[in-house]
DNA sequence: GTAGGGTTAG
């Protein structure tokens, strides 16, 4: 069995032993290089560097076939000091002019963020074979977010008549992943078509990713549909694109389509699908994905386990989430954050904070996102002092930047505790610009504590930042309404009319026997419509006591989607009625009291998951729950 | 025998 065919991992210790004596020094060099290549090819970069050092210790001399792999390892690990040392060895051994070595040097310097050194190597490149050197530096600029330099270098290439190829494009396109740079990206796309490089699958994938990252999901889908071939990466790019842009149901559709075409998903695919299941609360699809993970042997993939914890937490299956958490041998800050979030969003603030403290004890350093999860856990559970303590520790002990996402949690925390003035002071003391979520949290607190004056102030700020967010208008209108200020209600309505803002229809859904049943207000499209309305009528009569309503009084737009969902659940004897509400504001007061009354009359417990409350989360969705 | 490149979680 040659070393090329030997399984790598089990024999690592043997590979690190000194090289067997070879008949000639050149033959010994080949043996070292072969091993180095194997390790680098399998992503074993630390081992590759160890092997390089060992080679030097054993008196082996590196050559032009050694350096590319050793440099690649430094690049992958971002190790600049060994990288610079290697550069010294390159010069000493006279391998400097070798194009393979030069491009590896440029890449190494770029990945270590030493652009100046990369440029120096580039400027000294001998004429001829310039394309690869240009490619290396262009992609290096893109890697370091130097958009203008990358584009300028490409222009220079064209002016000097240096030929370019699809690899040039693969380096250049990632420079255009900001919406501001999209126009350049689109001209690159034209250029790609003009030169016939669009038949390259990798180039297509790269363009697809560019559109996705610029938020142009429509362009991305058009490109996807026009591509002659779809590789696994193509499917993944499109699926993760939908997931990143919050189009969770498109993710599920595309995933089904992918499977129906016989393409096997990999962990990258499944991570996106799970994150979308979490957004949708689509527990049954999530469970199916978990089976798929086990069948495919991806069970120990940490990315997938984190995604599973997140999915089960958001779907309300905390025990399951905890079991996966406990079984994970290595827990990163992401793992801890997922489980803390899970307990936090279900009002179990005590457990969430305990977990947070356990995390620190276990030596995992919290990051900004971990603090968001613990702060919001404190705010939901009313742990005001504890939350303020974390907020302090975040800055004092961990020197983490406190962003608007943290401030909005603390404003919420103070606001719910009735400390409106303190919340307002906190906002005024902010060194970063407060965003809509921060003012929105204050506005929400004003609703709870009926403070019209402060609400007006918060509203003024929030509509400046998010003029299109209808939720805030409705919130203020409700505050006025509760205060009996009808003039105020009218003023808000006029404002909405003038700005041509119309409330999007809210929708609610219930999962029944693995299927999602979706309702919009006044919906009559469900196959069981007649029975649902009859049940709703019955429930309305029950909670209204002796008032017997006429059938037509509960028909049309006044029938909220939550009510239809609950009537459907009761009608079908759904044991755990969990209604997920997606709209621009929290569950309305009318439905709130309706569900509460039904719960009381029937002596049953319901969970309403309101997917759009005024909490700032990175994905814009917060899964707070209310129980009745 | 070698370089320059495309998809991933809270």
């Amino acid at each position: 069995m040659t070393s090329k065919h030997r399984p790598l991992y089990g024999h690592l210790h043997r590979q690190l032993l000194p090289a067997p004596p070879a008949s000639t020094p050149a033959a010994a060099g080949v043996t070292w290089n072969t091993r180095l290549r194997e390790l680098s090819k399998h992503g074993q970069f630390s081992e590759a560097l160890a092997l390089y050092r060992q080679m030097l210790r054993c008196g082996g001399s590196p050559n032009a076939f050694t350096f590319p792999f050793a440099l690649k390892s430094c690049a992958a690990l971002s190790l600049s000091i060994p990288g610079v040392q290697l550069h010294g060895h390159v010069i000493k051994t006279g391998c400097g002019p070798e194009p393979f070595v030069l491009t590896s040097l440029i890449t190494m310097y770029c990945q270590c963020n030493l652009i100046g050194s990369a440029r120096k190597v580039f400027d000294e490149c001998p004429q001829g074979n310039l394309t690869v050197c240009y490619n290396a530096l262009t992609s290096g600029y893109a890697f370091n977010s130097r958009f203008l330099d990358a584009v300028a270098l490409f222009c220079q290439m064209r002016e000097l008549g240096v030929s370019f190829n699809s690899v040039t494009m693969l380096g250049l396109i990632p420079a255009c992943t900001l919406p501001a740079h999209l126009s350049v990206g689109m001209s690159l796309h034209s250029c790609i078509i003009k030169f016939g490089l669009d038949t390259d699958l990798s180039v297509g994938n790269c363009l697809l990713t560019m559109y996705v990252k610029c938020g142009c999901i429509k362009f991305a889908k058009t490109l996807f549909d026009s591509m002659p071939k779809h590789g696994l990466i193509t499917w993944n790019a499109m699926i993760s694109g939908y997931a990143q842009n919050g189009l969770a149901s498109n993710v599920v559709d595309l995933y089904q389509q992918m499977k129906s075409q016989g393409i096997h998903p990999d962990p990258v695919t499944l991570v996106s699908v799970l994150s979308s299941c979490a957004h949708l609360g689509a527990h049954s699809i999530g469970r199916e994905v978990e089976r798929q993970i086990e069948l495919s042997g991806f069970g120990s993939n940490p990315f997938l386990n984190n995604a599973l914890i997140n999915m089960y937490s958001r779907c309300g299956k905390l025990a399951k989430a905890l079991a996966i958490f406990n079984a994970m041998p290595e827990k990163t800050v992401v793992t801890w954050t997922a489980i803390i979030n899970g307990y936090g969003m279900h009002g179990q603030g005590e457990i969430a904070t305990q977990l947070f403290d356990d995390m620190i004890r276990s030596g995992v350093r919290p990051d900004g996102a971990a603090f968001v999860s613990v702060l919001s856990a404190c705010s939901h559970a009313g742990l005001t002092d504890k939350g303020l303590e974390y907020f302090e520790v975040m800055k004092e002990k961990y020197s983490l930047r406190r962003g608007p996402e943290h401030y909005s949690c603390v404003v919420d925390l103070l606001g719910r505790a009735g400390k409106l003035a303190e919340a307002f002071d906190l906002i005024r003391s902010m060194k970063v610009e407060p965003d809509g979520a921060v003012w929105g949290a204050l506005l929400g607190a004003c609703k709870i504590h009926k403070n019209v004056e402060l609400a007006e102030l918060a509203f003024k700020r929030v509509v400046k930042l998010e003029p299109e967010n209808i939720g805030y208008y409705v919130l203020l209108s409700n505050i006025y309404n509760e205060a009996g200020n009808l003039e105020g209600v009218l003023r808000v309505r006029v404002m909405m009319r003038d700005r041509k803002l119309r409330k999007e229809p809210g929708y609610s859904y219930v999962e029944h026997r693995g299927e999602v049943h979706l309702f919009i207000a006044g919906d009559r499209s469900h196959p069981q419509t007649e029975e649902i309305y009859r049940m709703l009528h019955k429930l309305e009569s029950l909670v209204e006591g002796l008032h017997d309503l006429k059938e037509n009084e509960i028909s049309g737009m006044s029938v909220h989607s939550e009510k239809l969902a609950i009537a459907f659940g009761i009608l079908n004897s759904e044991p755990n009625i969990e209604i997920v509400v997606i709209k621009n504001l929290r569950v309305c007061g009318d439905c709130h009291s309706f569900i509460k009354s039904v719960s009381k009359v029937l002596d049953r417990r319901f969970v309403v998951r309101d997917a759009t409350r005024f909490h700032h989360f990175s994905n814009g969705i917060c899964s707070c729950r209310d129980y009745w």
Side-chain angles (χ1 to χ4, degrees), chain A residues 235-248:
Chain A
W235 286 98
N236 285 352
M238 195 66 233
I239 288 176
S240 77
Y242 277 139
Q244 283 160 35
N245 285 278
L247 298 160

Side-chain angles (χ1 to χ4, degrees), chain A residues 29-217:
Chain A
V30 170
T31 315
W32 286 109
N33 286 348
T34 309
R35 288 177 181 180
L36 200 58
R37 189 187 65 201
E38 285 295 309
L39 287 171
S40 146
K41 213 168 88 186
H42 288 87
Q44 307 256 310
F45 298 116
S46 316
E47 289 80 359
L49 283 180
L51 191 73
Y52 176 78
R53 283 191 206 104
Q54 201 187 345
M55 172 183 179
L56 294 186
R57 274 201 304 277
C58 296
S61 39
N63 61 16
F65 291 101
T66 319
F67 291 119
F69 302 118
L71 286 166
K72 191 183 178 146
S73 305
C74 292
L77 300 168
S78 263
L79 293 174
S80 56
I81 295 171
V84 172
Q85 281 171 350
L86 274 167
H87 193 174
H89 299 173
V90 166
I91 295 167
K92 223 163 96 186
T93 50
C95 294
E98 291 288 337
F100 286 92
V101 178
L102 281 175
T103 47
S104 304
L105 272 170
I106 295 171
T107 304
M108 180 276 293
Y109 278 126
C110 288
Q111 306 236 18
C112 293
N113 305 314
L114 296 169
I115 300 286
S117 307
R119 182 82 212 194
K120 241 179 172 170
V121 176
F122 174 81
D123 288 337
E124 287 161 13
C125 282
Q127 291 296 317
N129 211 356
L130 275 177
T131 303
V132 278
C133 294
Y134 269 97
N135 288 355
L137 191 59
T138 312
S139 86
Y141 279 138
F143 180 82
N144 284 276
S145 321
R146 292 179 52 163
F147 165 75
L148 287 176
D149 289 320
V151 175
L153 204 61
F154 180 61
C155 293
Q156 194 186 50
M157 242 176 134
R158 311 248 18 221
E159 277 163 22
L160 297 178
V162 178
S163 65
F164 65 95
N165 56 21
S166 49
V167 182
T168 317
M169 293 303 167
L170 294 172
L172 196 51
I173 299 164
C176 308
T177 45
L178 285 177
H181 304 150
L182 183 63
S183 55
V184 175
M186 290 172 83
S187 17
L188 280 177
H189 193 169
S190 314
C191 179
I192 284 163
I193 295 171
K194 194 171 144 196
F195 286 86
L197 299 175
D198 55 328
T199 46
D200 187 311
L201 183 61
S202 303
V203 172
N205 293 340
C206 200
L207 279 170
L208 188 58
T209 308
M210 174 191 80
Y211 285 123
V212 161
K213 292 207 170 144
C214 290
C216 297
I217 207 77

Side-chain angles (χ1 to χ4, degrees), chain A residues 44 289 323 367 424 452 480 510 543 550:
Chain A
Q44 307 256 310
V289 173
D367 63 1
F424 187 39
V452 180
Y480 280 138
V510 169
V543 303
K550 290 188 185 122

Side-chain angles (χ1 to χ4, degrees), chain A residues 196-377:
Chain A
L197 299 175
D198 55 328
T199 46
D200 187 311
L201 183 61
S202 303
V203 172
N205 293 340
C206 200
L207 279 170
L208 188 58
T209 308
M210 174 191 80
Y211 285 123
V212 161
K213 292 207 170 144
C214 290
C216 297
I217 207 77
K218 272 193 184 155
F219 285 169
K221 186 64 184 1
T222 311
L223 177 62
F224 179 84
D225 291 337
S226 74
M227 285 170 72
K229 259 175 76 182
H230 294 164
L232 177 61
I233 291 181
T234 322
W235 286 98
N236 285 352
M238 195 66 233
I239 288 176
S240 77
Y242 277 139
Q244 283 160 35
N245 285 278
L247 298 160
S249 49
N250 296 39
V251 170
V252 177
D253 288 347
L254 205 59
Y255 171 63
Q256 306 289 13
Q257 205 182 318
M258 172 184 172
K259 283 202 300 187
S260 73
Q261 297 198 7
I263 312 281
H264 293 292
D266 74 347
V268 178
T269 328
L270 300 173
V271 161
S272 290
V273 177
L274 281 176
S275 117
S276 299
C277 290
H279 283 228
L280 291 168
H283 175 234
S284 50
I285 305 171
R287 247 187 353 218
E288 211 181 286
V289 173
E290 192 186 16
R291 269 196 298 277
Q292 175 80 48
I293 290 170
E294 276 154 22
L295 282 175
S296 316
F298 303 145
S300 56
N301 181 307
F303 277 71
L304 281 173
N305 280 310
N306 291 342
L308 278 171
I309 295 173
N310 183 39
M311 184 273 295
Y312 278 120
S313 307
R314 289 198 180 229
C315 292
K317 314 284 169 191
L318 273 183
K320 186 81 196 169
L322 188 65
I324 297 169
F325 173 84
N326 285 332
M328 280 177 74
E330 287 199 25
K331 301 171 176 70
T332 66
V333 66
V334 178
T335 318
W336 284 98
T337 304
I339 195 77
I340 292 167
N341 232 343
Y343 280 98
M345 69 176 62
H346 292 96
Q348 310 241 34
E350 295 285 353
I351 301 178
T353 53
Q354 265 171 33
L355 280 164
F356 188 85
D357 298 341
D358 287 346
M359 170 180 78
I360 289 171
R361 266 196 292 278
S362 78
V364 172
R365 193 185 157 82
D367 63 1
F371 272 103
V372 171
S373 71
V374 78
L375 286 172
S376 79

